[in-house]
Amino acid sequence: MKTRSAIAVLTAAAAISAAGAVRAVHKTHQPDKRPGFERESFAGVFDTCSIKFDYSLTNGVLYRCRRWGDYFCNILLGYSPRNGGWDRWDFLHVYVKTPKGVVNALSHSMPALFTGYSAGGADFIAAEWEVEGSGRLKLRFATFPSHRGWLFLRVETGGAEVVRVVLSAHPGNAAVPEGRERHLATKERDWLLNTTSAEFAPASPSILLYSLYVDEKFGNKLVFSNDAVEKVKSRRTTSGVSVDCTPKKGAPALDFALGYFAHCDPSDQLTRFLGEDGDAVSAFLKSIKWNRTPDAGEFRLSVDIARQMGVDGASLDAAEKKFRAAAAAADIAAVAGCFEEVLTLRRERARAGLDEYSAPPAGRKPAETGRERRR
Amino acid sequence: MISDRPLSGGDFHPRLSGKYDIILAFSDDGLKAKGVVNMKKALFCKLSALFCAAAAVPAPGAMQCRFLHEMTGEVVTPHHDFRGSAAERPLKTLFLLDRGGGRDAVEAVQRFNVAPTYFLMVSGNRIAVEDMYESAWKGTTLHEKTRELDVKLGEKYDLYVFGRKWLTSVNEEHRYRILKAVHDEGAGLLLVSDTGTPRIPYRRVYAEKLPVPEFAAKFPREYEKTSLQGWRFGRGRVVELAWRCASGTPHFSLAPSFPVNDEWLAKYENAMALVGAAMRYAAGRDDTPSEPAVTRLRDRFNRKVADATCGGRYFRDVIGANGAVAVEEVVTASPVGGMYVEADEAVKPGTPFTVKAVWTNASPLVAAARFETVESPFGRVMTRRECPVAAGATEVSAEIADARISTKAGYARVTLLDRSGRALDIAEKTVFFPERRVGDYVQMGWDTVLAMHPFAGASILVDRLGFDLGLTHPSSGGGNIRAMAVLNQSSVPYMVRIGLGAAENGSSRQTMWFFLDREAAKRMKELEGDLCFYRPEVKRLWADGIRNRMRNLPKYAPAFYSLGDENWFSETAGFGEWDDRFFREFLKLRYGTIEALNRDWRTNCADFASVPHLRPETAKKIGNLAAWGDHRAYMEKMYADVHAFCRAEIRKLDPGAPVGAEGSVPGDLELTFERLEFWGPYSNLIEDEALRSLGGDRIRMLWWGGYPSSHGGRAYTPFPLPLMSDLAKGTVMGNAWFTVNVGSNHSMFYSDLKLADDVEGYLVWHDRFKNGLAQLLIRNPMKDDGVLLYWSHPSRSASFADGRYLSPYDGLARIIRHCYRTGRSFEFVSARTLGRLKNARTVFLCGATALSDAEVAVLRDFAADGGRLVADVEPAVLNDRLAPRGKGALTDLFGKNGSVMFGGRITLSEAKGGRAGEFESAIAGCMPAQRTYAPGARMHEDAVLRTRRGPGFDIVTAMWPVSAPGGKVDVTLTGGRFIYEPMVGFVGEAGKVVLDFSAAPFVCRTVFEVKQEAPDFEISGAAPGGEAVFRPPPLVPGRFLHLEITDAAGAVRRSVVFDRKENLPRRLFVGVDEPRGEWRAVLTDCATGLKTTKTMKVGK
């Protein structure tokens, strides 16, 4: 039942999708190559990047990820040759505690809310998962015109109990060419991940993932709320690089900024990013007000269209009132519900109107329409 | 926006009285002839600013794009005005159109009093599609398009027009909003289609049918069943205009398609007039012209004429005082009954031919006949003469010594005259002047001038931009190739597509047979199971397929023929019954004797018949690399042979035609292109350079341009970066844009034919390249530094078979990039071109593990003569058939006389050492000394510096990455030199060339020992219909000159780039009806940019 209502809310995403530059696209019943399977996806498309959660279903039920291809957590941010950059298949894991153990909440169930909105010049995707026996996991993705090329992420730890957040990347290239060195660098230290794993309590907020000798010119930047992170781990690797953050007890949220560099010399990036730019992004990250009031423009447009179509004014007035309250409370789920309500009114009005135009004129034998003839 | 300069090399279409003002929306400085120098400065300032901005960060996400969503109306084509003088409110109209045919709506808006809003959709019964190319552009997704329409429907309109789109293209909500506006507010809904629109699935729409309006019945019809029907729907009207023609092209949304000839414009004018009248009718405006009406008479060439006395078809436009319009057809009976013209369909340019006019009834009125040759598509009359006609005659003929037509087609026109010179009847015949022209710098579009409003396309795409080649599939019988010729665009017919895959039984088989006719396709199906190319029945299929596609094509002189793009073969194919047979034949040729094979295979076969045909995986598994290589070589040979066979079949029907393929896998590159004249690689650094060096004069191009999300194209910098880079490197000899198709997300145009914003930004470079700079770079060879890179195809194969053998590409890429940054020239050498070693000093043997005995011997001689060999890994450990030698056949040469073996991947030598600097010095130490044209400081790692030797001058060309703006490097010279910027002018006298990339990432300079003078020439005046005599300065191949002749109004009349007799303008004829006055001829020395201007008088 919960899933059904969640889907109802999700449908609203399509409406909000039109807001400004951001859009959330929920696609159901997408084909899957495997017989008996279909796919369902939730995509958040910003002006400068996109994210997508893509699930397999069989008989209408989520098929929990067992092997590669069952689930994707995709990101397109920055350009790197040969699938390099933030992991295009599974860039984000958020592990939460459930009565049955620790699970990656993102692949364990589909989002209960997935919607996009603009607020105060920035674009947001709100994504929330119901975690069985734990609470609601809330993620907010955001882009800001002042920081093109960066995707900001907040993982709220207040609802579901977040154990770890893992971000994955293939700096430069997803292949494993001979002779390439994978590095993780902070202001304090540089780890050669080909030979050693990294584990540290973060003293500074910036991490640079880069390669040497092959794929040197492309890499990934990460800024995070290091005050809220107990420790960072990165396993030994020659291929994909992961940054595994364990939150400090009681930290209300973990904040991240995901960036990249392309066509640049890594030594230059090491100096600039770890020396200065990372701190500036960190300061910005700290200043972000995540609970902004969604802009009302798109909603008003929708209401205007509904009025033009002849939708009952009282229903629209009521919806507008609800929207104002939801927006003021920054209740994103309620905002999405208001969009859906007006959309439904529009759809119903269009259907009824077209039915009227389909009815035979009074006192006349109905004329045969083209559609009927084709039948 | 400018209006004072027609696009074409002339009036474009002087038959239209008054100005034929195609107006392009290019910026003023993009086209205006005057103030060129200041324009360039201004533009460079702009470009410079943009360059810096663009270089900041490559923007991820979808790119801004106007050209797929908006229409500007800035390109104005020749048309007749139907607005009249009625003081009416403009018809506020929302056009919902297939974006490929958006131009039609602009054409309607040009003629009628309309306030338009446009909503452009992708093809098909839908408003949007999402894929990797489409979605790379902003605003193209279903959600974005839905929102766009949501907002646009928020406005109130008098009229909604669906062009080549059904009402069901839009969602139910949008449908309802439109129908509600019609029903409740009295708006009109006009549905225009070529084959008829399916009924709207709402029956009340059709409840009240309106009588067919009077004006509709009178309109001239090219298609008999064209219908206009209307229904009253509430307060408004729903109207359907169905042309009932054959399904047209997406490049017309409101008009039907007509055959392309010089009557097209009149037919299109009539169609647009009917669309305009239907719009008024649908919107409920007066549809019957009221008095006092304005009338106008047009002939069948769309010329406004005073009377209809000459026999033939006319159109009377009536524009009422109330703004209503009508067009009626008027047919004037000819005094001679009827007339036609006979002439050869194809005439060799410059040769005489006979034109004969034959009419039905002898008439005493006929006194003379006027014979004219008229250029297509712009209607310039090039010759005119009159002959008396004998009384009672029913035919007259004349020999035309030279049609003087410089385009690909024209018309032989005959007009019968009475004693007073009044025209009695006119007839004409289309004549083609086939001349295969492939210039030094080729500009080719994927798709053609037919993928848009054809006459505007001929003016903008072909005449202005110079894309005089179009790649397209020939239609059955070559109708589209003919139409292209009429529009003066040369064709590159796409004949076949070679893809050799494996059948279920392992046999090799061609996978795409679209080029067969029905009968051959049936035969092919009967052969299914074993379609090995060498099987005689299969070869016959190929030959028949070529013949089928070639029908009529040679008449129109295609520039060259394409055997496909993305051609490929699979090495898993080739194991059918016929393959086995031919594989053994192949082995016999390859080895000569069974003993030789046994030696390489380490087998003991009795004869070739008993040699097993091992599958690649088996051969690899048992370690028989030679057997693996032999099968691969067999498939490569088949791949090359199919190309060569198709070429031979084409040349049987069109002797001497260049043939090739592009964007295809190379196979054994040299073997594949050996028997072809044209090849385009699937671009990569090494193969592009190998093709440049080993491919000789073969036509070679790389598609770029439209790709919004790949291929390095469409970067939204004001520079055509991929083209600049390829020209700087010398890897292409042309500009190949994918695609010119209007409405495509790869297109260079808005739907209304304005140039896309980024393309407009390229214009200054585009013109420089086309007017001589590209030719300079293409025709002049690179300087010779004595550096050769070894091209060993078997070694590359070996690296695929066994990972222990290093790929030659690994090392070659690093060496090439080193040469780019240090300005050293290099060429390739291969087993087929060992003669090149004679003048070489250093040869790089990168991954050259598999060399033949002959190659080994020549390389040993080279080393013995003091040449230096540089290898990354031990060379020649295999022979050229991949059989192990036991030890490297050249190993003993290293460590002596400067020959060096790095003993590992050159790529990683830098990694393990002191990084880039060490690598550079290690490689530089192996190179011959470089005294000139070396950069004075370290270049950016991705920079390119190439120097060419011209006749009496050197050309220094460099590219600097846009990601690192503001580079500046000095290039050494041996003394004081005079330095010029090609196409621009004198830079200064200096002992070095300063390459400053702050204004652009591409810099080109020419270096002379002595100061240059502007080129001198002579040009005479000419009478209309006469000839101007042009005497150029002495021609020196490689020293290009650009001659541009403009008329008194500044319109370009001729533009030609030449450096030798073969491309010198043959003769400069002046058309009979070209404007008189003082014309200007400007001759530019492309290498120096110095120019001389002379005037010539045209007129008596």
Side-chain angles (χ1 to χ4, degrees):
Chain A
M1 195 58 209
K2 218 169 208 175
T3 316
R4 289 293 105 201
S5 61
I7 296 302
V9 174
L10 283 161
T11 327
I16 298 187
S17 71
V22 66
R23 59 186 191 277
V25 183
H26 175 207
K27 287 187 178 170
T28 58
H29 306 299
Q30 297 296 297
D32 190 300
K33 280 180 185 167
R34 298 168 295 180
F37 281 83
E38 60 181 16
R39 301 198 79 90
E40 187 158 337
S41 65
F42 303 81
V45 185
F46 294 94
D47 188 23
T48 52
C49 65
S50 69
I51 52 168
K52 185 175 174 185
F53 299 91
D54 188 359
Y55 299 89
S56 301
L57 285 84
T58 177
N59 298 322
V61 178
L62 177 68
Y63 184 75
R64 286 205 179 115
C65 181
R66 284 167 210 176
R67 56 183 179 174
W68 195 89
D70 291 340
Y71 160 77
F72 292 114
C73 175
N74 164 270
I75 184 168
L76 293 178
L77 172 63
Y79 167 77
S80 271
R82 299 189 189 175
N83 297 316
W86 290 106
D87 190 328
R88 292 187 174 195
W89 300 282
D90 203 3
F91 83 98
L92 176 65
H93 290 204
V94 180
Y95 291 100
V96 294
K97 253 189 193 167
T98 72
K100 290 174 188 167
V102 173
V103 297
N104 175 11
L106 311 186
S107 63
H108 200 68
S109 62
M110 288 195 286
L113 173 76
F114 193 87
T115 188
Y117 57 96
S118 296
D123 291 325
F124 290 84
I125 291 283
E128 300 182 3
W129 282 258
E130 286 295 348
V131 181
E132 198 182 339
S134 179
R136 199 163 173 118
L137 171 69
K138 293 184 180 180
L139 264 55
R140 296 287 182 273
F141 297 89
T143 61
F144 295 83
S146 59
H147 288 71
R148 281 181 73 84
W150 286 92
L151 174 67
F152 296 87
L153 163 66
R154 160 158 285 203
V155 181
E156 291 191 8
T157 54
E161 191 179 340
V162 176
V163 181
R164 282 155 51 216
V165 177
V166 184
L167 289 148
S168 305
H170 295 281
N173 194 334
V176 190
E178 195 186 323
R180 182 185 59 198
E181 291 183 357
R182 288 293 202 202
H183 286 257
L184 182 151
T186 65
K187 202 180 272 189
E188 296 75 29
R189 195 180 154 181
D190 191 321
W191 285 265
L192 171 61
L193 296 176
N194 299 54
T195 56
T196 182
S197 59
E199 183 168 342
F200 56 96
S204 56
S206 313
I207 290 176
L208 188 71
L209 308 178
Y210 69 99
S211 306
L212 280 185
Y213 310 130
V214 182
D215 307 323
E216 286 187 346
K217 305 247 165 198
F218 302 87
N220 296 80
K221 300 172 180 175
L222 179 67
V223 175
F224 63 110
S225 49
N226 59 314
D227 299 344
V229 173
E230 177 89 36
K231 67 177 172 191
V232 174
K233 287 201 291 187
S234 186
R235 58 186 160 72
R236 186 176 146 173
T237 180
T238 55
S239 178
V241 180
S242 60
V243 180
D244 185 334
C245 301
T246 305
K248 277 183 181 166
K249 240 183 184 164
L254 295 187
D255 294 338
F256 300 91
L258 283 71
Y260 65 95
F261 67 89
H263 306 288
C264 300
D265 197 329
S267 58
D268 187 41
Q269 289 299 315
L270 281 166
T271 321
R272 282 186 195 212
F273 175 67
L274 296 178
E276 194 174 335
D277 294 355
D279 290 340
V281 175
S282 171
F284 181 77
L285 181 66
K286 281 179 187 162
S287 74
I288 293 174
K289 191 183 163 200
W290 289 94
N291 285 334
R292 293 182 185 209
T293 305
D295 296 343
E298 286 301 314
F299 183 74
R300 287 216 186 93
L301 174 70
S302 186
V303 169
D304 288 348
I305 290 169
R307 285 190 204 282
Q308 189 195 30
M309 291 170 69
V311 171
D312 169 46
S315 310
L316 292 173
D317 291 344
E320 277 193 291
K321 198 174 164 188
K322 253 194 265 177
F323 177 84
R324 278 195 296 272
D331 182 344
I332 302 306
V335 165
C338 295
F339 266 96
E340 174 59 16
E341 192 176 325
V342 176
L343 260 189
T344 305
L345 290 169
R346 281 164 57 180
R347 266 190 230 115
E348 283 169 356
R349 181 65 208 124
R351 189 65 262 165
L354 291 173
D355 283 347
E356 275 172 41
Y357 297 151
S358 301
R364 285 199 195 178
K365 195 180 165 197
E368 199 180 28
T369 67
R371 180 186 275 182
E372 285 162 344
R373 257 203 304 276
R374 279 198 298 280
R375 281 176 188 158
Chain B
M1 197 165 86
I2 63 162
S3 59
D4 60 347
R5 186 191 184 294
L7 275 175
S8 71
D11 289 339
F12 180 171
H13 212 295
R15 279 196 296 256
L16 288 172
S17 53
K19 96 181 153 170
Y20 187 63
D21 50 353
I22 269 215
I23 302 170
L24 272 190
F26 308 151
S27 55
D28 283 356
D29 39 19
L31 275 180
K32 264 184 182 166
K34 60 187 176 185
V36 170
V37 173
N38 288 339
M39 171 275 277
K40 279 170 186 157
K41 274 186 193 162
L43 193 60
F44 263 93
C45 292
K46 276 194 250 171
L47 296 185
S48 176
L50 275 168
F51 177 43
C52 295
V57 180
M63 292 184 287
Q64 292 291 350
C65 120
R66 291 172 60 212
F67 77 100
L68 291 177
H69 303 303
E70 294 177 24
M71 300 240 267
T72 65
E74 291 176 20
V75 175
V76 181
T77 52
H79 64 275
H80 293 286
D81 200 329
F82 287 85
R83 274 176 285 215
S85 56
E88 278 187 308
R89 190 171 53 82
L91 206 54
K92 193 173 174 189
T93 305
L94 176 62
F95 289 98
L96 301 105
L97 308 165
D98 189 316
R99 71 187 182 203
R103 177 74 221 166
D104 276 353
V106 174
E107 292 284 337
V109 172
Q110 282 180 174
R111 292 166 169 85
F112 291 90
N113 192 12
V114 178
T117 300
Y118 303 101
F119 180 68
L120 300 174
M121 300 178 250
V122 293
S123 291
N125 198 33
R126 56 194 174 174
I127 65 169
V129 64
E130 293 177 21
D131 60 35
M132 71 172 276
Y133 292 124
E134 184 79 3
S135 303
W137 296 114
K138 256 184 185 303
T140 54
T141 60
L142 179 62
H143 282 272
E144 287 164 310
K145 291 304 284 184
T146 302
R147 184 176 188 276
E148 183 189 337
L149 190 53
D150 263 349
V151 172
K152 284 182 172 163
L153 286 176
E155 291 283 313
K156 281 191 176 178
Y157 300 95
D158 301 320
L159 177 66
Y160 300 84
V161 178
F162 278 79
R164 236 185 113 84
K165 284 285 180 188
W166 303 341
L167 184 66
T168 49
S169 304
V170 300
N171 69 28
E172 284 199 336
E173 191 179 312
H174 294 147
R175 274 181 241 168
Y176 173 66
R177 291 172 70 184
I178 291 167
L179 288 175
K180 185 171 184 294
V182 176
H183 187 272
D184 296 356
E185 292 157 25
L189 171 61
L190 174 63
L191 306 161
V192 185
S193 69
D194 39 20
T195 53
T197 311
R199 288 244 159 164
I200 296 170
Y202 312 114
R203 64 184 69 173
R204 280 202 183 182
V205 168
Y206 299 108
E208 195 179 336
K209 187 161 186 181
L210 297 166
V212 175
E214 201 180 317
F215 74 86
K218 289 183 185 167
F219 256 87
R221 279 159 206 253
E222 299 306 323
Y223 298 99
E224 204 182 317
K225 291 184 179 170
T226 296
S227 66
L228 184 82
Q229 301 179 80
W231 293 267
R232 181 169 305 287
F233 180 52
R235 292 175 57 200
R237 284 177 182 179
V238 175
V239 174
E240 184 193 308
L241 171 58
W243 294 107
R244 307 278 175 204
C245 59
S247 182
T249 74
H251 307 298
F252 298 103
S253 59
L254 300 177
S257 51
F258 302 113
V260 176
N261 56 34
D262 61 354
E263 296 184 14
W264 188 94
L265 286 169
K267 289 174 185 170
Y268 187 77
E269 193 78 54
N270 294 341
M272 278 296 120
L274 180 55
V275 167
M279 285 169 66
R280 292 183 60 86
Y281 173 64
R285 297 262 173 107
D286 288 343
D287 54 53
T288 307
S290 63
E291 294 298 335
V294 176
T295 62
R296 172 177 61 211
L297 199 60
R298 290 180 284 121
D299 68 7
R300 65 183 201 259
F301 307 120
N302 215 27
R303 292 181 296 198
K304 187 179 171 186
V305 291
D307 57 48
T309 52
C310 178
R313 205 173 169 212
Y314 296 84
F315 309 104
R316 177 177 290 122
D317 302 331
V318 182
I319 304 158
N322 55 358
V325 300
V327 179
E328 293 168 15
E329 183 169 345
V330 178
V331 177
T332 301
S334 165
V336 295
M339 181 167 77
Y340 63 90
V341 171
E342 288 177 359
D344 288 343
E345 193 182 1
V347 174
K348 192 178 169 197
T351 60
F353 67 107
T354 303
V355 177
K356 182 176 169 186
V358 181
W359 55 95
T360 313
N361 307 325
S363 167
L365 294 174
V366 178
R370 180 190 296 147
F371 288 80
E372 291 172 314
T373 55
V374 183
E375 258 185 10
S376 177
F378 303 124
R380 191 160 52 188
V381 177
M382 295 309 296
T383 66
R384 177 179 290 164
R385 62 186 274 210
E386 289 180 13
C387 308
V389 176
T394 56
E395 62 177 55
V396 62
S397 60
E399 185 169 274
I400 309 293
D402 182 350
R404 297 185 170 188
I405 283 175
S406 58
T407 54
K408 291 185 75 66
Y411 303 96
R413 181 182 294 168
V414 181
T415 309
L416 294 184
L417 307 168
D418 69 8
R419 276 177 216 294
S420 65
R422 189 173 61 98
L424 300 171
D425 203 347
I426 298 178
E428 60 184 24
K429 176 159 187 201
T430 307
V431 179
F432 295 91
F433 298 91
E435 187 175 28
R436 204 181 315 282
R437 294 176 217 152
V438 182
D440 293 322
Y441 177 56
V442 180
Q443 294 208 91
M444 176 167 77
W446 186 293
D447 286 322
T448 73
V449 66
L450 299 174
M452 57 194 73
H453 178 298
F455 284 83
S459 174
I460 300 169
L461 179 72
V462 182
D463 205 39
R464 168 65 185 87
L465 298 177
F467 280 88
D468 53 1
L469 265 60
L471 173 74
T472 189
H473 285 265
S475 58
S476 180
N480 61 339
I481 305 298
R482 181 186 197 277
M484 285 172 71
V486 168
L487 296 165
N488 197 30
Q489 191 178 39
S490 292
S491 55
V492 179
Y494 189 116
M495 303 297 292
V496 298
R497 187 173 179 186
I498 297 167
L500 305 176
E504 275 179 23
N505 62 3
S507 153
S508 57
R509 64 187 287 268
Q510 162 70 5
T511 48
M512 294 155 281
W513 289 104
F514 59 83
F515 47 91
L516 299 181
D517 63 16
R518 200 171 289 175
E519 183 275 326
K522 202 173 150 200
R523 269 191 286 137
M524 183 271 291
K525 280 189 183 140
E526 285 162 8
L527 294 175
E528 192 61 78
D530 200 337
L531 286 166
C532 169
F533 166 71
Y534 295 114
R535 191 177 171 183
E537 299 95 311
V538 176
K539 276 192 173 175
R540 199 154 55 242
L541 279 179
W542 281 98
D544 290 348
I546 295 286
R547 250 197 306 282
N548 177 43
R549 297 283 268 190
M550 286 287 286
R551 276 190 294 146
N552 291 323
L553 302 195
K555 269 194 272 189
Y556 315 118
F560 47 91
Y561 291 85
S562 169
L563 298 176
D565 73 311
E566 297 184 337
N567 290 353
W568 59 279
F569 69 95
S570 166
E571 63 187 41
T572 62
F575 291 97
E577 201 182 315
W578 285 85
D579 283 308
D580 282 348
R581 193 168 133 190
F582 285 103
F583 175 67
R584 293 188 175 93
E585 296 283 323
F586 170 75
L587 290 180
K588 258 187 228 172
L589 283 173
R590 188 165 163 90
Y591 285 92
T593 65
I594 191 66
E595 291 75 23
L597 181 140
N598 281 329
R599 203 163 43 243
D600 280 3
W601 281 41
R602 287 169 287 165
T603 53
N604 203 13
C605 299
D607 52 27
F608 281 104
S610 59
V611 174
H613 190 174
L614 298 177
R615 290 193 177 259
E617 59 276 17
T618 314
K620 258 196 211 178
K621 205 171 168 185
I622 63 172
N624 189 344
L625 217 57
W628 179 90
D630 287 344
H631 176 72
R632 186 179 167 85
Y634 166 69
M635 286 307 298
E636 285 170 348
K637 172 89 169 46
M638 185 190 295
Y639 182 63
D641 284 348
V642 178
H643 283 89
F645 179 85
C646 291
R647 171 186 177 265
E649 290 300 313
I650 289 169
R651 288 163 74 103
K652 278 181 194 167
L653 301 166
D654 192 355
V659 182
E662 42 81 22
S664 297
V665 302
D668 181 346
L669 180 65
E670 286 179 287
L671 179 70
T672 306
F673 72 53
E674 197 171 43
R675 290 164 285 175
L676 300 174
E677 289 78 25
F678 153 51
W679 188 259
Y682 225 71
S683 178
N684 73 53
L685 173 76
I686 296 154
E687 285 169 22
D688 292 356
E689 283 290 356
L691 183 62
R692 173 193 65 76
S693 182
L694 300 171
D697 287 339
R698 282 176 181 80
I699 302 162
R700 48 183 198 277
M701 280 179 283
L702 293 169
W703 291 112
W704 76 286
Y707 297 99
S709 57
S710 62
H711 297 60
R714 212 133 214 184
Y716 268 82
T717 67
F719 308 103
L721 293 175
L723 179 64
M724 283 174 152
S725 172
D726 294 337
L727 284 171
K729 293 173 186 167
T731 50
V732 299
M733 52 173 291
N735 174 9
W737 184 284
F738 185 94
T739 155
V740 301
N741 196 344
V742 170
S744 160
N745 47 41
H746 289 62
S747 180
M748 58 166 65
F749 296 108
Y750 279 70
S751 284
D752 65 2
L753 275 177
K754 178 189 181 302
L755 279 185
D757 303 315
D758 54 333
V759 181
E760 207 169 288
Y762 299 160
L763 269 186
V764 66
W765 287 101
H766 174 91
D767 288 348
R768 265 191 214 178
F769 285 136
K770 154 172 95 76
N771 292 337
L773 178 53
Q775 290 88 335
L776 271 178
L777 299 176
I778 289 163
R779 294 287 298 185
N780 288 303
M782 298 289 173
K783 73 183 163 81
D784 183 2
D785 280 348
V787 177
L788 292 179
L789 311 186
Y790 207 86
W791 178 258
S792 168
H793 179 69
S795 302
R796 170 104 164 122
S797 297
S799 72
F800 290 131
D802 189 333
R804 288 174 301 171
Y805 300 113
L806 191 65
S807 168
Y809 283 24
D810 286 6
L812 287 174
R814 284 289 164 131
I815 305 298
I816 291 172
R817 288 195 191 284
H818 170 88
C819 291
Y820 283 166
R821 349 180 235 275
T822 55
R824 284 177 203 276
S825 283
F826 61 91
E827 296 297 338
F828 276 84
V829 60
S830 66
R832 289 174 173 83
T833 53
L834 288 169
R836 292 185 177 194
L837 288 169
K838 270 183 199 162
N839 301 320
R841 288 148 73 192
T842 300
V843 175
F844 283 88
L845 296 163
C846 295
T849 46
L851 300 177
S852 69
D853 293 346
E855 288 172 284
V856 166
V858 175
L859 286 167
R860 294 189 77 86
D861 289 348
F862 170 74
D865 290 346
R868 172 183 281 164
L869 297 176
V870 184
D872 46 4
V873 289
E874 195 174 4
V877 293
L878 306 171
N879 71 12
D880 60 330
R881 295 187 296 257
L882 310 191
R885 289 180 185 278
K887 63 172 187 173
L890 296 171
T891 310
D892 59 303
L893 300 178
F894 294 97
K896 298 173 197 165
N897 301 326
S899 288
V900 183
M901 182 154 65
F902 282 83
R905 228 175 258 260
I906 293 182
T907 348
L908 287 189
S909 68
E910 74 170 89
K912 305 304 173 195
R915 311 282 322 277
E918 187 166 297
F919 170 80
E920 294 289 325
S921 58
I923 297 301
C926 303
M927 297 278 189
Q930 187 182 18
R931 290 193 309 125
T932 55
Y933 298 114
R938 192 178 152 88
M939 297 269 279
H940 187 280
E941 193 177 332
D942 296 325
V944 175
L945 172 61
R946 302 289 267 150
T947 304
R948 291 156 168 88
R949 289 254 187 264
F953 60 95
D954 295 330
I955 309 168
V956 180
T957 313
M959 281 288 289
W960 195 267
V962 282
S963 58
K968 193 172 179 180
V969 172
D970 295 344
V971 169
T972 55
L973 299 173
T974 48
R977 294 286 187 275
F978 296 89
I979 298 161
Y980 297 82
E981 181 171 2
M983 313 300 297
V984 177
F986 185 53
V987 174
E989 186 181 355
K992 62 185 180 183
V993 180
V994 181
L995 302 176
D996 184 348
F997 300 95
S998 55
F1002 173 95
V1003 174
C1004 185
R1005 297 285 183 269
T1006 47
V1007 179
F1008 290 82
E1009 284 194 14
V1010 291
K1011 194 160 187 187
Q1012 301 296 298
E1013 301 289 335
D1016 195 17
F1017 72 105
E1018 287 175 24
I1019 192 160
S1020 71
E1027 179 182 359
V1029 179
F1030 170 62
R1031 289 201 182 84
L1035 298 180
V1036 183
R1039 183 93 184 245
F1040 282 89
L1041 299 164
H1042 175 220
L1043 174 67
E1044 186 175 79
I1045 299 176
T1046 48
D1047 64 20
V1052 177
R1053 294 273 147 194
R1054 305 286 186 280
S1055 177
V1056 57
V1057 179
F1058 57 94
D1059 69 330
R1060 54 194 187 278
K1061 205 177 149 194
E1062 297 86 69
N1063 54 13
L1064 187 67
R1066 204 169 29 222
R1067 295 170 79 178
L1068 288 176
F1069 295 114
V1070 175
V1072 173
D1073 52 356
E1074 286 193 272
R1076 275 75 166 154
E1078 199 167 81
W1079 290 17
R1080 260 167 36 114
V1082 181
L1083 187 69
T1084 306
D1085 180 348
C1086 301
T1088 62
L1090 302 176
K1091 54 189 72 175
T1092 302
T1093 303
K1094 297 209 168 169
T1095 55
M1096 55 184 282
K1097 195 177 172 199
V1098 171
K1100 286 179 183 168

